[in-house]
Amino acid sequence: MSHCTNTVVLERISDSDLRADSRAEWLAGEYRAGEYPTAHVHYDLNGAAFVIVAPQAGASE
């Protein structure tokens, strides 16, 4: 997540879930359809989780 600054973490999904990647992408799409049009997924290597983030206030990067 280092290239995203001033972000808000919307959800974290542990990669222990076999469908975590698909679920994270789906959730990011749901957020994009709503209040966070620039929501996207990052992978947190240290936390072993997919993280859905968006710039604060929905601003573009």
Side-chain angles (χ1 to χ4, degrees):
M1 292 189 294
S2 61
H3 70 276
C4 287
T5 58
N6 203 23
T7 59
V8 108
V9 173
L10 303 171
E11 302 234 10
R12 294 181 68 82
I13 301 171
S14 171
D15 70 357
S16 65
D17 178 349
L18 296 176
R19 296 184 180 149
D21 185 27
S22 296
R23 184 164 186 253
E25 290 296 342
W26 179 81
L27 282 170
E30 292 292 305
Y31 279 110
R32 283 191 295 271
E35 179 177 349
Y36 297 96
T38 57
H40 54 282
V41 178
H42 287 270
Y43 184 74
D44 178 3
L45 186 60
N46 294 330
F50 293 93
V51 183
I52 302 161
V53 298
Q56 286 191 2
S60 85
E61 296 179 40

